[in-house]
Coordinates of all heavy atoms in Angstrom, one line a residue:
Chain F
V152 N 17.6 48.9 -5.5 CA 18.6 49.9 -5.3 C 19.4 49.8 -4.0 O 20.6 49.8 -3.9 CB 18.1 51.4 -5.4 CG1 19.1 52.4 -5.1 CG2 17.5 51.6 -6.8
R153 N 18.6 49.6 -2.9 CA 19.2 49.4 -1.6 C 20.1 48.2 -1.5 O 21.2 48.2 -1.0 CB 18.1 49.2 -0.5 CG 17.6 50.6 0.0 CD 16.9 50.5 1.3 NE 16.1 49.2 1.5 CZ 15.1 49.2 2.4 NH1 14.8 50.2 3.1 NH2 14.5 48.1 2.6
S154 N 19.6 47.1 -2.2 CA 20.4 45.8 -2.1 C 21.7 46.0 -2.9 O 22.7 45.5 -2.6 CB 19.6 44.6 -2.6 OG 19.4 44.8 -4.0
R155 N 21.6 46.8 -4.0 CA 22.8 47.1 -4.7 C 23.8 47.9 -3.9 O 25.0 47.6 -3.9 CB 22.5 47.9 -6.0 CG 22.2 46.9 -7.2 CD 22.1 47.7 -8.5 NE 21.2 47.0 -9.4 CZ 20.3 47.6 -10.2 NH1 20.2 48.9 -10.2 NH2 19.5 46.9 -11.0
I156 N 23.3 48.9 -3.3 CA 24.2 49.8 -2.5 C 24.8 49.1 -1.3 O 26.0 49.1 -1.1 CB 23.4 51.0 -2.0 CG1 23.0 51.9 -3.1 CG2 24.2 51.8 -0.9 CD1 22.0 53.0 -2.8
F157 N 23.9 48.3 -0.6 CA 24.4 47.7 0.6 C 25.2 46.4 0.3 O 25.8 45.8 1.2 CB 23.2 47.4 1.6 CG 22.7 48.6 2.3 CD1 21.5 49.2 2.0 CD2 23.6 49.3 3.2 CE1 21.0 50.3 2.6 CE2 23.1 50.5 3.7 CZ 21.9 51.0 3.4
G158 N 25.1 46.0 -0.9 CA 25.9 44.8 -1.4 C 27.4 45.1 -1.2 O 28.2 44.2 -1.0
F159 N 27.7 46.4 -1.2 CA 29.2 46.8 -1.1 C 29.6 46.7 0.4 O 30.7 46.7 0.7 CB 29.4 48.2 -1.6 CG 29.2 48.3 -3.1 CD1 28.2 48.9 -3.6 CD2 30.2 47.6 -3.9 CE1 28.0 49.0 -5.0 CE2 30.0 47.7 -5.3 CZ 28.9 48.4 -5.8
F160 N 28.6 46.7 1.3 CA 28.9 46.7 2.8 C 28.3 45.4 3.4 O 27.2 45.4 3.9 CB 28.3 47.9 3.4 CG 28.7 49.2 2.8 CD1 27.8 49.8 1.9 CD2 29.9 49.7 3.0 CE1 28.1 51.0 1.3 CE2 30.3 50.9 2.4 CZ 29.4 51.6 1.5
P161 N 29.1 44.3 3.4 CA 28.6 43.0 3.8 C 28.0 43.0 5.2 O 27.1 42.3 5.4 CB 29.8 42.1 3.7 CG 30.8 42.9 2.9 CD 30.5 44.3 3.0
G162 N 28.5 43.8 6.1 CA 28.1 43.7 7.5 C 26.8 44.4 7.8 O 26.1 44.3 8.8
Q163 N 26.3 45.3 6.8 CA 25.2 46.1 7.0 C 23.9 45.4 6.8 O 23.7 44.6 5.9 CB 25.3 47.3 5.9 CG 24.2 48.3 6.0 CD 24.5 49.3 7.2 OE1 25.6 49.7 7.5 NE2 23.4 49.6 7.9
R164 N 22.9 45.7 7.7 CA 21.6 45.1 7.6 C 20.8 45.8 6.6 O 20.9 47.0 6.5 CB 20.8 45.2 8.9 CG 21.2 44.1 10.0 CD 20.6 44.5 11.3 NE 19.1 44.6 11.2 CZ 18.3 43.6 11.6 NH1 18.8 42.5 12.1 NH2 17.0 43.7 11.5
L165 N 20.0 45.1 5.8 CA 19.2 45.7 4.8 C 18.0 46.4 5.4 O 17.6 47.5 5.0 CB 18.6 44.7 3.8 CG 19.6 44.4 2.6 CD1 18.9 43.4 1.7 CD2 20.0 45.6 1.8
D166 N 17.5 45.8 6.5 CA 16.3 46.4 7.1 C 16.7 47.2 8.4 O 16.3 46.9 9.5 CB 15.3 45.3 7.5 CG 15.9 44.2 8.3 OD1 17.1 44.1 8.3 OD2 15.1 43.4 8.8
D167 N 17.6 48.1 8.2 CA 18.1 48.8 9.3 C 17.2 49.9 9.9 O 17.4 50.6 10.8 CB 19.5 49.4 9.1 CG 19.5 50.3 7.8 OD1 18.4 50.4 7.2 OD2 20.5 50.9 7.5
D168 N 16.0 50.0 9.2 CA 15.1 51.0 9.6 C 13.9 50.4 10.4 O 12.8 50.8 10.3 CB 14.5 51.9 8.5 CG 14.0 51.0 7.4 OD1 14.2 49.8 7.4 OD2 13.4 51.5 6.4
V169 N 14.3 49.3 11.1 CA 13.3 48.6 11.9 C 12.7 49.5 13.0 O 13.4 50.1 13.7 CB 13.9 47.3 12.6 CG1 12.8 46.7 13.4 CG2 14.4 46.4 11.5
D170 N 11.4 49.6 13.0 CA 10.7 50.5 14.0 C 10.7 49.9 15.4 O 10.9 48.7 15.5 CB 9.3 50.8 13.6 CG 9.2 51.5 12.2 OD1 10.2 52.3 11.9 OD2 8.2 51.3 11.5
A171 N 10.4 50.7 16.3 CA 10.1 50.2 17.7 C 8.9 49.3 17.6 O 8.1 49.5 16.7 CB 10.0 51.3 18.6
E172 N 8.7 48.4 18.5 CA 7.5 47.5 18.5 C 6.2 48.3 18.5 O 6.1 49.2 19.3 CB 7.6 46.6 19.7 CG 6.6 45.4 19.5 CD 6.4 44.6 20.8 OE1 7.1 44.9 21.7 OE2 5.5 43.8 20.8
D173 N 5.3 48.0 17.6 CA 4.0 48.6 17.5 C 3.1 48.0 18.5 O 2.9 46.7 18.5 CB 3.5 48.5 16.1 CG 2.2 49.4 15.9 OD1 1.5 49.6 16.9 OD2 2.0 49.8 14.8
P174 N 2.5 48.8 19.4 CA 1.5 48.1 20.4 C 0.4 47.4 19.7 O -0.1 46.4 20.3 CB 1.0 49.3 21.2 CG 1.6 50.6 20.6 CD 2.5 50.2 19.5
L175 N 0.0 47.7 18.5 CA -1.1 47.0 17.8 C -0.7 45.6 17.5 O -1.5 44.7 17.3 CB -1.4 47.7 16.5 CG -2.2 49.1 16.7 CD1 -2.4 49.7 15.3 CD2 -3.5 48.9 17.4
D176 N 0.7 45.3 17.5 CA 1.1 43.9 17.2 C 0.7 43.0 18.4 O 0.7 41.8 18.2 CB 2.6 43.9 17.0 CG 3.0 44.5 15.6 OD1 2.1 44.6 14.8 OD2 4.1 44.9 15.5
R177 N 0.4 43.6 19.5 CA 0.1 42.7 20.7 C -1.4 42.6 20.9 O -1.8 42.1 22.0 CB 0.8 43.3 21.9 CG 2.3 42.9 21.9 CD 2.9 43.4 23.2 NE 3.2 44.9 23.1 CZ 3.5 45.6 24.1 NH1 3.6 45.1 25.3 NH2 3.7 46.9 24.0
V178 N -2.2 43.1 19.9 CA -3.7 43.0 20.1 C -4.1 41.5 20.1 O -3.5 40.7 19.3 CB -4.4 43.7 18.9 CG1 -5.9 43.4 18.9 CG2 -4.1 45.2 19.0
A179 N -5.0 41.1 21.0 CA -5.4 39.7 21.1 C -6.0 39.2 19.8 O -6.8 40.0 19.2 CB -6.5 39.6 22.2
D180 N -5.7 38.0 19.4 CA -6.1 37.5 18.1 C -7.4 36.7 18.2 O -7.5 35.7 19.0 CB -5.0 36.6 17.6 CG -4.9 36.7 16.1 OD1 -5.9 37.1 15.5 OD2 -3.8 36.3 15.5

Side-chain angles (χ1 to χ4, degrees):
Chain F
V152 172
R153 273 199 327 200
S154 70
R155 269 186 211 146
I156 292 170
F157 289 111
F159 293 110
F160 307 101
Q163 184 75 40
R164 279 169 64 97
L165 277 181
D166 52 346
D167 53 357
D168 53 351
V169 176
D170 297 331
E172 194 193 353
D173 190 328
L175 289 176
D176 289 341
R177 283 183 283 166
V178 172
D180 212 340

